[in-house]
Amino acid sequence: MNNLKIIGLACLILFLFNCSQDEIFVEEQSAQTTETIVEYAKRDGLKPIGSGVMMQAFYWDVPAGGTWWNTVNSKVADWSNAGIDAIWLPPASKAQNGPFSMGYDPFDYFDFGEYNQMGSVETRFGSRTELTKLIDAAHQNGLSVIADIVINHNSGGASEANPYAGGNTWTDFNPMSGNFYRSANDFHANNIHSNDSGAFGGYPDLCHNQTYVQDWLWNNSNSVAKYYRDVIGFDGWRFDYVKGFEPWVVKAWKDEAGGFAVGEYWDSNVSTLDWWTSTAEASAFDFACYYKMKDAFMGNNLTVLNDNMLWKQNATRAMTFVANHDTDEIINNKILAYAYILTHEGYPTIFYKDYEEWLNKERLNNLIWIHNNLAGGTTNILHADTDEYIARRNGYNNAGLVVYINNSDLWQERWIETNWSNTIIKDYTGHSAWEPTTQYGKWVKIQAPPKSYSVWSVK
């Protein structure tokens, strides 16, 4: 009899556990309807990519001399503590300009600073050993590492007779790594077609319809994608100049190699960005948001923040940014633009120079904390005029927030409707000392300092 009781009790516990697990699964599914879907890194111990903020860990013309990997290595622990979940590195393999190249003229995809070619052993950023030490350090601190992938064009090939061009072209690639030899057949024009979506800068334009190219870039067990992932240790991909090839290329790469993927589709048209992300099944940098912020903060007209952006169309695929290595046009009141992307939907990126040199790091760290702890759920714009912008995040697994951006020269105050009734709230930026109590109808008066912002939530 006692044994039967024990068995029955065990069955009951198992049943309740399974029901509990089912409830958790349902809750997690419902979260995906109101919150950005994060992609979990493959390696154990890493923060989910998309749960925090990405750091662009370089800028154009970082110091040459092979020191950059060590510089970034010295910062990953602090970035992780601040709430960064991933770092984006520049193209890491050997390029035509050797020790002076920023990597966007790729020559040997398998030389990370170990072969004496193109004028140096190391890349501009350092040696292969220094790169893998950096990636190991990032992983130890819970950070994923995103590789900048340049597969539209190549540079540094020798001249060869090209039957498709009626003369010689610079398409003879013989890398010292011994991997991915290329010839005229692998570029446009060739025996398949004369071109794809777009060439870049006069460089030889890779043909992704060639099976040989597909095999070396992503299909083979020793392909570029799998070598970056399995040998060097990268966790995801930032695809350069994706206008130059069809979106199926990114999808095929990701289907084969996995990992987080974001494309640089430089276009402010929201429908175009949404089409590309859906077809490529990858994220895209929200250039629509970037240009609206430029109009808002450089043009001093915050009403344009009412306009459509990728994060409003599909937040799960939107990478928001204020500046990067190619664009730095939002100069006036740049911190207001960061207050915008770090309180709104999408996956925000911080530019190295802004964080480490140009802006107030304490204020950025505060906004990163706010993003990671308060900025959940859907968004409602509560007010927008030339000088003022107020939006509410409705919360998911957190209280949500109200952000008040003030681009005027004076303190401003407004009554707004919150999600909180009879609740004390405070400004988590510390810019306002007010701690008002919301009314029974959830209304409350908040304020924001001149040329600044405040972010309100439950005390």
Side-chain angles (χ1 to χ4, degrees):
M1 186 66 176
N2 288 338
N3 288 340
L4 290 175
K5 287 182 178 179
I6 293 172
I7 292 171
L9 180 61
C11 291
L12 177 61
I13 292 171
L14 181 61
F15 172 79
L16 293 174
F17 174 78
N18 285 335
C19 290
S20 175
Q21 291 297 99
D22 289 342
E23 290 170 0
I24 292 170
F25 178 69
V26 170
E27 288 176 1
E28 289 176 346
Q29 281 189 315
S30 66
Q32 295 178 353
T33 64
T34 59
E35 188 59 280
T36 299
I37 298 173
V38 295
E39 298 206 27
Y40 287 84
K42 201 175 173 186
R43 294 171 175 84
D44 292 339
L46 302 190
K47 302 173 184 178
I49 298 178
S51 63
V53 177
M54 182 180 289
M55 175 69 71
Q56 181 178 357
F58 67 100
Y59 53 93
W60 194 256
D61 283 346
V62 301
T67 62
W68 191 248
W69 297 146
N70 290 337
T71 297
V72 175
N73 194 343
S74 69
K75 297 180 182 297
V76 293
D78 288 341
W79 290 349
S80 178
N81 291 334
I84 302 298
D85 65 20
I87 59 173
W88 158 25
L89 299 185
S93 60
K94 188 70 62 66
Q96 180 183 14
N97 209 22
F100 307 107
S101 177
M102 285 296 297
Y104 291 95
D105 51 340
F107 173 74
D108 188 343
Y109 288 103
F110 295 85
D111 178 3
F112 295 87
E114 57 196 300
Y115 298 101
N116 189 359
Q117 57 183 338
M118 297 295 143
S120 67
V121 174
E122 292 191 349
T123 67
R124 181 189 191 101
F125 314 113
S127 67
R128 172 181 172 139
T129 299
E130 290 164 341
L131 171 62
T132 55
K133 284 183 178 179
L134 159 60
I135 293 173
D136 287 345
H139 288 164
Q140 289 165 14
N141 284 279
L143 300 181
S144 298
V145 185
I146 307 303
D148 204 319
I149 298 296
V150 186
I151 56 172
N152 177 75
H153 52 273
N154 288 171
S155 186
S159 178
E160 66 175 344
N162 188 335
Y164 312 105
N168 278 33
T169 53
W170 303 93
T171 49
D172 182 18
F173 286 79
N174 292 278
M176 288 187 68
S177 67
N179 295 316
F180 199 11
Y181 291 98
R182 282 145 281 162
S183 68
N185 289 325
D186 306 312
F187 298 91
H188 295 110
N190 56 32
N191 61 316
I192 296 180
H193 47 62
S194 60
N195 63 277
D196 58 3
S197 296
F200 180 82
Y203 293 119
D205 185 49
L206 269 175
C207 177
H208 302 95
N209 290 85
Q210 290 284 23
T211 301
Y212 176 82
V213 173
Q214 295 176 16
D215 287 344
W216 270 111
L217 286 181
W218 63 80
N219 278 331
N220 287 347
S221 60
N222 61 337
S223 64
V224 174
K226 292 169 186 173
Y227 194 87
Y228 270 60
R229 181 192 68 189
D230 299 333
V231 179
I232 304 301
F234 283 103
D235 306 291
W237 326 100
R238 179 266 182 188
F239 289 92
D240 180 66
Y241 189 60
V242 296
K243 277 189 173 183
F245 46 90
E246 301 301 325
W248 67 261
V249 173
V250 171
K251 182 181 184 304
W253 178 298
K254 189 178 177 183
D255 285 348
E256 189 66 33
F260 175 84
V262 58
E264 182 209 28
Y265 199 98
W266 198 323
D267 199 303
S268 62
N269 186 290
V270 177
S271 295
T272 303
L273 291 171
D274 192 36
W275 159 81
W276 187 88
T277 61
S278 298
T279 308
E281 297 183 8
S283 298
F285 289 101
D286 194 345
F287 278 94
C289 178
Y290 172 79
Y291 284 111
K292 291 303 177 185
M293 289 193 298
K294 179 184 173 184
D295 292 342
F297 299 113
M298 297 299 293
N300 295 312
N301 182 12
L302 302 193
T303 58
V304 299
L305 297 178
N306 276 319
D307 294 347
N308 201 12
M309 308 172 194
L310 181 59
W311 74 258
K312 297 181 183 183
Q313 193 90 0
N314 188 351
T316 65
R317 294 297 193 189
M319 291 279 293
T320 52
F321 66 101
V322 176
N324 62 31
H325 62 292
D326 288 323
T327 61
D328 190 25
E329 302 165 293
I330 302 173
I331 300 171
N332 296 341
N333 305 313
K334 183 183 277 191
I335 193 67
L336 302 189
Y338 275 109
Y340 180 82
I341 69 168
L342 288 164
T343 54
H344 284 65
E345 293 172 75
Y347 182 22
T349 305
I350 290 183
F351 183 46
Y352 179 94
K353 278 270 194 177
D354 287 337
Y355 186 83
E356 292 292 342
E357 298 181 25
W358 291 340
L359 300 181
N360 185 308
K361 186 181 292 189
E362 183 178 350
R363 292 182 74 181
L364 283 173
N365 282 342
N366 170 250
L367 285 170
I368 294 170
W369 185 92
I370 287 169
H371 172 269
N372 293 351
N373 292 276
L374 300 176
T378 56
T379 304
N380 291 107
I381 298 175
L382 304 180
H383 178 83
D385 62 28
T386 301
D387 294 324
E388 298 171 68
Y389 173 88
I390 306 174
R392 182 180 70 223
R393 294 295 301 277
N394 293 308
Y396 186 83
N397 289 333
N398 54 38
L401 59 81
V402 173
V403 57
Y404 191 166
I405 298 175
N406 175 17
N407 199 32
S408 75
D409 295 322
L410 301 171
W411 277 85
Q412 299 292 342
E413 301 174 359
R414 284 200 178 271
W415 282 90
I416 53 96
E417 185 178 14
T418 73
N419 289 324
W420 316 301
S421 179
N422 296 325
T423 302
I424 299 174
I425 65 172
K426 73 171 189 175
D427 172 21
Y428 275 82
T429 71
H431 294 156
S432 171
W434 284 8
E435 292 190 357
T437 300
T438 62
Q439 297 180 347
Y440 178 76
K442 302 181 182 179
W443 285 79
V444 72
K445 182 189 281 189
I446 58 174
Q447 64 175 187
K451 299 296 182 183
S452 190
Y453 55 90
S454 54
V455 180
W456 303 82
S457 190
V458 175
K459 181 179 177 181

